[in-house]
Structure formats: structure tokens, C-alpha cells
Amino acid sequence: MSEAWTRAVAYLKPNLTDGSEATVSLNHEDSPILRHLHNGLLVDYLVDKATSFDYLQNRHLIAAAIDEDRLHKTAIDNLYCLAERHLRIQPYGPVFTLFMEGNFEASVLLLDTVWDISFAKHVKGEFVAAVPARDVLAFGDSSSSEAVAELRSIIDRLKSSGADHPLSTSLYRRRQGTWLSDSSPER
């Protein structure tokens, strides 16, 4: 798996270090590579094995003699490639939903040019987005009370249905290229 990092895709995960979930301690080499976004979400790095995903661990970086920043750039580039092939946007009332293969929809939050260029025409002000599960990303204009209410409704529906791979019950607002959760401190 020494060259697997070249196929890694950036993947959003919830930050569960608040004590709400049981945790397992691993030594550094066996630990997954995680990048904190400081908004309740983490970036993890997955390699598609056709029928499953492997998480990249620190030992893979050590074996490949690369650093986390190089891995992150490669994984974001690979996510852009997936988006170019599969991403589609669909209006849903006052919001828009994204579809992309069922595993990486929420990870589209990481693709800056998608938001800054491709989706900018869909909002007048700031983006507001919901990512209640790995395969759900909906967004709208933060100045629209109808969009905000629909996004909260989407989060509530997925929370009550027991969504597979839950991510966050927060809304995220994009400010100056950064996604802040509704529970993040202002920067």
C-alpha cells in the first residue's frame, strides 16, 4: 500500500473527541491520518478497494516518505476528479442537493472552486449547508429563511431516520473560504 496514497480521496468524518462516543487509542503508526477543520468535522483519507475503502494510516505516509500536506493536496485533487465525473446538482424547493456516487457528497464541502465559482450563481450572499450524513449535502442562501428552515428539516429527518454514516446536525456557513458550523466560534 506504499503508493496507495496517490489514489486517496478526502473524506469528511465527524469529530467524536467530545467524549460522546467510545474511542480506541492506537499508536501513531497505526492511527488514521486526520486533518481537523475546527468546525466539528475531520478530513480522513480513503482508498477505494472496489468493494470497500481502506483508511490511510500514518505508517503509509512514513513508508511513502511524504507529509500530510502532500497527501491532502493529492486527496483533494482526486476528489475533484470524482466530482468532475459524477457530481450533479438538483434544486429541491428553496435549497439545492448534490449527488455523487453515494459516499463523497458531504466531502464536496472541501472543494473550494466548486463553491467559489460553480455554485456561486445559486446564492446572493453566503452559502449555508447541511451535511447530516456522508451521502447528503444540501445548500442554500443563508439570507433565505426558507432555505435555512428546509436545511434544518433535512437534518431532522435524517437524524430521526437513523441515517447510515451520520456526520453533523449543525448548519455550516461559508465565510471567506472557510466553513463554520452554527456552533463554531466566529473567526
Side-chain angles (χ1 to χ4, degrees), residues 31-99:
S31 295
I33 302 155
L34 300 171
R35 180 176 286 237
H36 292 266
L37 297 179
H38 305 288
N39 61 8
L41 299 172
L42 303 168
V43 180
D44 206 339
Y45 304 94
L46 302 182
V47 176
D48 191 347
K49 302 293 278 186
T51 59
S52 65
F53 293 104
D54 281 347
Y55 288 88
L56 283 183
Q57 298 164 308
N58 285 298
R59 64 183 154 92
H60 299 121
L61 289 186
I62 295 165
I66 63 161
D67 65 18
E68 186 180 321
D69 288 337
R70 185 167 174 202
L71 168 64
H72 184 74
K73 181 187 179 325
T74 298
I76 292 293
D77 289 346
N78 290 340
L79 183 60
Y80 270 115
C81 289
L82 271 177
E84 285 175 6
R85 290 193 312 267
H86 302 289
L87 183 64
R88 63 185 175 85
I89 183 171
Q90 183 173 328
Y92 180 78
V95 300
F96 297 88
T97 55
L98 302 182
F99 298 93

Side-chain angles (χ1 to χ4, degrees), residues 12-16 39-42 106 109 129-137 151-152 154-159 163-172 180-184:
L12 285 183
K13 290 185 62 94
N15 185 350
L16 300 176
N39 61 8
L41 299 172
L42 303 168
L109 280 186
V131 287
R134 75 172 178 192
D135 60 347
V136 177
L137 192 159
L151 293 171
R152 290 198 190 283
I154 290 168
I155 290 169
D156 291 343
R157 283 193 306 269
L158 279 151
K159 185 178 178 184
D164 190 29
H165 294 90
L167 221 103
S168 177
T169 58
S170 295
L171 289 179
Y172 291 86
L180 300 171
S181 78
D182 54 9
S183 59
S184 293

